[in-house]
Amino acid sequence: MITGFEQIKGTFYNQEDLDNQYVLGEGRSGLNRPIPLVSVSIAVVTNHRQQYENIDQIVSEATRVKKVCKSVNGGIICANEEVV
């Protein structure tokens, strides 16, 4: 999925934006700033190494793994066991 997305991502932007690896646009603060190009991050939680007792524990672990994914520039798959 990530490879396919990366292949078509170039059609979303002009060459200058691709070269810069960002677009200029209004951020959440309302100010114009560089905004990274869109990417796909997939966070996966498994129970191979840890058993979860309830949905809240799974949600908490998914939130942690998602933060790890988002800290990486570009498309990535992260799992609670390792980065794939």
Side-chain angles (χ1 to χ4, degrees):
M1 185 169 131
I2 291 174
T3 301
F5 180 80
E6 289 297 319
Q7 289 173 347
I8 64 167
K9 180 167 95 172
T11 65
F12 303 159
Y13 302 101
N14 63 44
Q15 192 58 50
E16 180 182 1
D17 295 337
L18 291 169
D19 292 343
N20 291 334
Q21 289 296 297
Y22 65 82
V23 295
L24 290 175
E26 187 175 313
R28 292 181 181 164
S29 65
L31 301 174
N32 280 344
R33 63 177 185 82
I35 299 172
L37 303 183
V38 68
S39 63
V40 173
S41 299
I42 300 171
V44 178
V45 174
T46 70
N47 64 350
H48 289 133
R49 294 189 182 169
Q50 179 179 347
Q51 297 298 312
Y52 300 97
E53 295 180 19
N54 56 55
I55 191 69
D56 292 331
Q57 290 178 343
I58 296 170
V59 169
S60 178
E61 182 65 358
T63 300
R64 185 190 71 76
V65 175
K66 183 179 90 172
K67 285 181 183 179
V68 171
C69 282
K70 293 293 186 181
S71 71
V72 175
N73 202 8
I76 190 168
I77 300 172
C78 298
N80 59 324
E81 298 171 11
E82 62 187 49
V83 175
V84 180

